Amino acid sequence: PLIEKNIAALGYKMDEVKIILNNHAHLDHAGAMAQLKRDSGAAVYASAEDRSALEHGRHEGDSEYAYLTFPPVAVDRVLADGETITLGDIRLTATLTPGHTKGCTTFSMPVTDGGRTLQVVFPCSITVAGNVLVGNTTYPGIVADFEKSFARLGAMKADVVLTGHPEATDVFGRAAKLKAGDKDAFVDPTLLGRLVGKAKTDFAKTLKTEQAGKKSATGK
């Protein structure tokens, strides 16, 4: 209901929504999709690697949250790495950045602002967030995927970064600054790099802790 209220506040009707994008198949990012799809008739786009989780309505991969479920939603179009999604004059590029989930997908797009072109990036989550890193039987490649995704995201150009969890990049604080007259409140070409750097540090600490725990448990 909150999402639909915000869509209406922007001046759109639900049947004007044509595409629903999923960046990863976790409850807090996918739980509303089935209802939104029913109410709008829109097509759901997601990565192949997260399709199963979305269509079964469950978290996949060994984690503290594997028990969580959400309303299943059918995926109408599977997105490939590097694919461009077009609607009107909007063009979004999908970049696979797995780790947080098997199919975690970052979206990016150019926007024109005051005569300049800015690159906007909507990064998929890159936190460990309860995932098992050592001995993950249902997602054995999780460590390698995280490491590759850190490298991919760290190399991306991002003038504006908008995260799914707004507190991660102070979205509301920056919005207040914009409203107060700071036209560049959302422009920070260093922000994505800082996010990746922090995530890498946290990831390394978690991995080291798990490795030590496993070594202690096995005596090897």
Side-chain angles (χ1 to χ4, degrees), residues 21-211:
L21 295 173
N22 176 258
N23 72 346
H24 71 279
H26 278 169
L27 170 66
D28 51 336
H29 297 267
M33 287 195 161
Q35 186 67 47
L36 290 170
K37 182 176 182 177
R38 283 194 294 271
D39 291 347
S40 66
V44 169
Y45 293 9
S47 66
E49 292 79 1
D50 272 354
R51 182 176 190 172
S52 172
L54 291 169
E55 295 191 338
H56 288 90
R58 67 189 182 208
H59 288 206
E60 293 186 349
D62 299 349
S63 79
E64 296 174 9
Y65 310 108
Y67 65 91
L68 292 174
T69 61
F70 52 88
V73 60
V75 175
D76 301 291
R77 177 171 159 183
V78 171
L79 295 173
D81 185 31
E83 185 170 350
T84 298
I85 304 106
T86 302
L87 183 65
D89 58 357
I90 301 298
R91 284 168 175 75
L92 281 159
T93 299
T95 301
L96 289 181
T97 50
H100 191 78
T101 67
K102 297 176 184 178
C104 223
T105 306
T106 292
F107 294 99
S108 58
M109 64 182 290
V111 298
T112 301
D113 177 70
R116 59 183 175 173
T117 299
L118 299 174
Q119 188 70 7
V120 180
V121 175
F122 306 87
C124 192
S125 297
I126 49 175
T127 58
V128 175
N131 277 306
V132 174
L133 298 179
V134 177
N136 193 316
T137 57
T138 56
Y139 187 5
I142 188 170
V143 170
D145 277 357
F146 262 118
E147 291 172 342
K148 290 176 185 176
S149 294
F150 291 146
R152 290 197 92 178
L153 280 169
M156 288 182 74
K157 173 180 169 55
D159 300 301
V160 176
V161 179
L162 296 173
T163 47
H165 291 278
E167 67 277 6
T169 51
D170 191 27
V171 170
F172 296 126
R174 289 188 290 157
K177 291 179 181 178
L178 180 67
K179 189 175 181 179
D182 181 358
K183 294 181 179 180
D184 285 337
F186 279 95
V187 180
D188 185 350
T190 69
L191 180 54
L192 184 58
R194 297 201 308 273
L195 284 176
V196 172
K198 183 180 185 305
K200 286 176 67 175
T201 298
D202 293 344
F203 169 84
K205 289 179 180 178
T206 303
L207 179 60
K208 186 176 180 180
T209 298
E210 287 192 32
Q211 289 171 333

